[in-house]
Amino acid sequence: QVQLVESGGGSVQAGGSLRLSCTASGLPFSKYTSGWFRQTPGKERDFVAGMSWSGNTFYGDFLKDRFTISRDDAKNTLYLQMNNLKPEDTAVYYCAARNGVWTTHVEQYDDWGQGIQVTVSS
């Protein structure tokens, strides 16, 4: 049974930083495409950042180098380092994985975490 568990969310002031973690059981991130998405109430879930099984990374166009995705295969954990946070980054952030080539399309990811709230105040 696959389980993705996010941690590290919370509240921060604009300009601050947070690091999200996603620990997987039941699948190895080193053999899956993985990613982070975010969603605000009433809006679609948007792609934030992703990593292929081989370690290639890709990001949403809006980030402008503020976020970094990384992975620790020994811990089977995916990370999202978020710097210079802005109020518009406020959202529920989701970790996701798929057994296939990398993609930014939410509907092509098979496994999801429960989501974690990130709130950025001005």
Side-chain angles (χ1 to χ4, degrees):
Q1 181 179 357
V2 174
Q3 190 173 20
L4 304 179
V5 179
E6 299 102 337
S7 61
S11 298
V12 65
Q13 290 190 329
S17 299
L18 283 174
R19 188 177 79 158
L20 303 182
S21 301
C22 174
T23 300
S25 58
L27 65 83
F29 277 135
S30 61
K31 296 184 178 180
Y32 279 64
T33 290
S34 55
W36 290 96
F37 292 78
R38 69 186 188 185
Q39 189 171 24
T40 55
K43 295 189 176 180
E44 295 183 348
R45 194 166 296 186
D46 291 330
F47 173 77
V48 175
M51 178 176 282
S52 70
W53 65 270
S54 62
N56 293 322
T57 58
F58 40 106
Y59 295 92
D61 292 338
F62 63 89
L63 288 181
K64 297 182 179 180
D65 298 326
R66 294 187 297 119
F67 292 6
T68 302
I69 189 171
S70 62
R71 193 178 76 201
D72 185 332
D73 291 343
K75 296 181 178 180
N76 206 25
T77 299
L78 186 73
Y79 300 100
L80 184 68
Q81 178 67 43
M82 305 185 292
N83 297 328
N84 190 22
L85 283 161
K86 303 177 180 182
E88 51 264 42
D89 294 318
T90 295
V92 176
Y93 284 72
Y94 295 89
C95 171
R98 72 183 301 264
N99 187 7
V101 298
W102 73 270
T103 177
T104 63
H105 297 287
V106 61
E107 68 274 9
Q108 295 184 5
Y109 282 78
D110 305 306
D111 299 294
W112 292 86
Q114 80 286 355
I116 193 163
Q117 179 70 44
V118 170
T119 302
V120 184
S121 58
S122 58

